Amino acid sequence: MLKIPDMLLLFCLVGVANALYKQWIPDTNYENKTNWDKGDIPCGNDIVQFSAQRKVSVFVETTHAVLEMRLPVDGEFILNSGAGFYAVTGQDPGCGTGVTTEFKDSESFQWYDPTLWQAAATLNDLEQGNFLFSVHEESVPCHYDDVVFKALSSFRVDTSSSHSSITVKSVSVLGDTFTTQSEFSQYLSSSLGKLQFHGSSAVAVGNPACEDPSGCDCGNSVHHQQICSTVTCDSPNCKNPLRPTGHCCDVCGAIVTLLFDDGFNLQTYRERIRHLFLALPQYQSIQLGMSKVLKPQRLMGIISLGTLSEIQIVILDGEQGIQSAALAQDIMKDARSHGSNLGISGVEVQTSSEETGDSAGLAVGVVFGVLLLITLIILGVLIHKGVVQMPTLNRFKNRNNIPDLGGPLDHGFDNPMFDQPTMMPDIPSLYGTGVSNSISMTQTAVHFVNPVYDESETDFTA
């Protein structure tokens, strides 16, 4: 029985959109140690250097002492309230002997690098670090996602791709959220916007929210190759590695696939899994990603039959997948027990902790399909060269349509038994004194005389 707070939580979840918040990780902040080649923030005895040809906008949060600063030709400082620079008279006692430190290059950070994004269900989760796990395609902002660049931060991101634009729901920069393309286009055309966004593809905002309760496809499958080109895969240490749809690497864990109907709600079901299972002590270290995917359907592994919408649950435990397999079994049992109430019509589980017949079945299907394809190709070539002829309808015409050959048909020789009007005519010269003398019946048999083959009237017993 649900308590009042639980009921309120459930009602709230039903109305939650399926889009996520995707936050950009790298920054070009002055106070970030990783942005400097010496691994530390410059101080009063140091010479600060920016490459002359580098294009960069640097966010400065507070005041800093410097000995000397060499600036780029095209760059900007974004100064927070009270932030700035000053020169120290003499030596800075807390700075050491002083070095020349250079701001690192930020040109290589790509929009379609999934390792450079963090995902969360809410803005509050972003601030608290409650991030969600996703497959590589969905780690990059999807068409229905809200993109967040940290408020007290600047950045530089390469948006280049094979498409002319990148579509998202909204973009937040320096605390301002852009939801219409006209406003965001003005920002992109500003000097600061040009320093932060560069590349061949323009970021477009204003895409409508996902209105399907069962979720929406991310839309990044067309960029799969580019996304995976930025990912380095580790060798999985398990018996049967899995490759989730939308992921670039084989993993050790489990995949739960759900078939659903009109009553399924992705966000409600995600919260159900979190409360029922992920809160348990044995599953605290589990990474779980859940989303709608369009899985390609192929006949015998070769012939494309389109795509099928499924809910994919990817479960990882960082080891050989034993804990993931246990959680997958728990989810499957729950889906089978309560699936009719949750809008789930089918469930399937794959695990890496034990061998399955899927790989063998797929291999057999591929081999059979290849052989069938080769056979069809050879048959087509033979027909084209005339070696093999295909049957036509003319060969199956009704025999009654045979034309008149010009004259009466030749019946061959006369048959005295069957060519007469009656089956047993009364011809004394042929049958003796009469038909009645040619057949006789006894209590045990019937005796008859064959007038064609037995002139001596030899009896045959039937």
Side-chain angles (χ1 to χ4, degrees):
M1 181 177 180
L2 291 175
K3 299 179 181 179
I4 296 299
D6 295 330
M7 295 178 64
L8 293 177
L9 174 62
L10 179 60
F11 292 146
C12 291
L13 290 175
V14 172
V16 173
N18 290 304
L20 299 177
Y21 290 90
K22 302 290 177 64
Q23 181 172 264
W24 180 252
I25 297 175
D27 62 51
T28 52
N29 291 2
Y30 193 92
E31 287 80 12
N32 188 345
K33 296 181 179 181
T34 63
N35 287 332
W36 300 96
D37 64 347
K38 297 297 189 293
D40 207 351
I41 302 173
C43 53
N45 298 334
D46 296 334
I47 298 176
V48 177
Q49 180 171 310
F50 293 88
S51 177
Q53 303 303 320
R54 185 165 301 161
K55 296 181 179 181
V56 63
S57 64
V58 178
F59 184 87
V60 184
E61 187 173 0
T62 186
T63 57
H64 296 273
V66 295
L67 178 64
E68 181 181 339
M69 181 176 290
R70 302 166 185 172
L71 299 176
V73 175
D74 190 0
E76 287 187 12
F77 283 119
I78 304 173
L79 301 179
N80 192 27
S81 177
F85 300 96
Y86 64 95
V88 177
T89 303
Q91 291 290 316
D92 185 348
C95 188
T97 58
V99 295
T100 299
T101 180
E102 184 173 359
F103 199 82
K104 288 183 179 179
D105 184 14
S106 56
E107 294 290 314
S108 61
F109 295 140
Q110 300 180 41
W111 179 282
Y112 285 104
D113 185 346
T115 64
L116 302 182
W117 295 94
Q118 295 169 326
T122 65
L123 288 174
N124 188 47
D125 285 341
L126 278 181
E127 296 176 359
Q128 296 182 0
N130 297 326
F131 304 123
L132 299 174
F133 165 76
S134 302
V135 294
H136 289 127
E137 282 184 12
E138 297 169 13
S139 296
V140 177
C142 301
H143 292 174
Y144 306 93
D145 288 340
D146 297 288
V147 177
V148 178
F149 295 92
K150 297 175 184 177
L152 299 178
S153 179
S154 192
F155 57 91
R156 184 163 174 83
V157 55
D158 183 0
T159 62
S160 298
S161 73
S162 58
H163 289 64
S164 60
S165 63
I166 300 172
T167 304
V168 294
K169 181 184 174 186
S170 69
V171 173
S172 297
V173 181
L174 293 171
D176 295 327
T177 301
F178 299 93
T179 58
T180 62
Q181 187 57 35
S182 58
E183 294 179 352
F184 191 56
S185 295
Q186 292 180 1
Y187 181 82
L188 291 176
S189 62
S190 66
S191 59
L192 180 57
K194 293 178 181 179
L195 291 175
Q196 292 174 333
F197 296 91
H198 71 104
S200 61
S201 302
V203 180
V205 303
N207 199 52
C210 175
E211 298 180 355
D212 188 345
S214 66
C216 296
D217 175 58
C218 177
N220 280 337
S221 58
V222 294
H223 303 291
H224 182 82
Q225 185 174 357
Q226 181 179 0
I227 290 172
C228 291
S229 67
T230 66
V231 177
T232 301
C233 298
D234 298 326
S235 299
N237 184 28
C238 51
K239 296 179 181 179
N240 185 39
L242 305 173
R243 178 72 64 88
T245 300
H247 209 55
C248 301
C249 307
D250 292 338
V251 296
C252 296
I255 301 175
V256 180
T257 302
L258 302 178
L259 300 180
F260 59 93
D261 53 35
D262 294 338
F264 182 78
N265 187 291
L266 179 61
Q267 185 63 22
T268 302
Y269 187 71
R270 182 184 286 122
E271 292 299 324
R272 176 185 179 86
I273 297 302
R274 186 174 71 175
H275 289 297
L276 285 182
F277 302 114
L278 297 184
L280 298 177
Q282 64 267 33
Y283 297 140
Q284 289 295 313
S285 61
I286 288 288
Q287 287 184 309
L288 186 145
M290 184 188 307
S291 61
K292 176 187 282 188
V293 297
L294 300 180
K295 185 173 292 186
Q297 302 297 301
R298 297 184 181 276
L299 178 62
M300 297 177 295
I302 297 178
I303 304 174
S304 176
L305 299 178
T307 58
L308 176 66
S309 295
E310 299 176 341
I311 302 301
Q312 177 179 258
I313 305 174
V314 181
I315 310 171
L316 306 180
D317 56 28
E319 298 178 359
Q320 296 186 359
I322 298 177
Q323 285 295 101
S324 299
L327 176 56
Q329 293 298 324
D330 288 343
I331 293 176
M332 181 179 66
K333 293 176 183 178
D334 178 67
R336 289 178 175 175
S337 299
H338 306 283
S340 59
N341 298 326
L342 299 172
I344 298 174
S345 57
V347 57
E348 178 185 284
V349 171
Q350 296 173 276
T351 65
S352 62
S353 58
E354 59 183 9
E355 296 286 355
T356 65
D358 295 341
S359 298
L362 178 60
V364 172
V366 170
V367 172
F368 182 77
V370 171
L371 292 177
L372 178 61
L373 183 61
I374 293 175
T375 302
L376 293 175
I377 293 175
I378 294 176
L379 181 61
V381 172
L382 294 178
I383 294 174
H384 179 72
K385 292 183 176 294
V387 178
V388 176
Q389 294 184 353
M390 294 294 291
T392 63
L393 293 176
N394 293 332
R395 298 188 181 185
F396 301 98
K397 287 183 178 180
N398 194 317
R399 295 184 182 272
N400 293 330
N401 295 331
I402 296 176
D404 188 5
L405 298 178
L409 294 175
D410 184 8
H411 293 282
F413 59 89
D414 293 335
N415 189 327
M417 289 290 292
F418 301 102
D419 288 343
Q420 302 301 325
T422 60
M423 289 296 297
M424 301 186 70
D426 187 8
I427 305 177
S429 61
L430 184 61
Y431 297 100
T433 60
V435 176
S436 61
N437 296 329
S438 302
I439 300 176
S440 61
M441 298 183 62
T442 67
Q443 293 180 349
T444 59
V446 177
H447 303 272
F448 65 92
V449 177
N450 190 328
V452 178
Y453 298 102
D454 196 344
E455 296 180 356
S456 61
E457 298 186 0
T458 303
D459 289 345
F460 291 83
T461 302

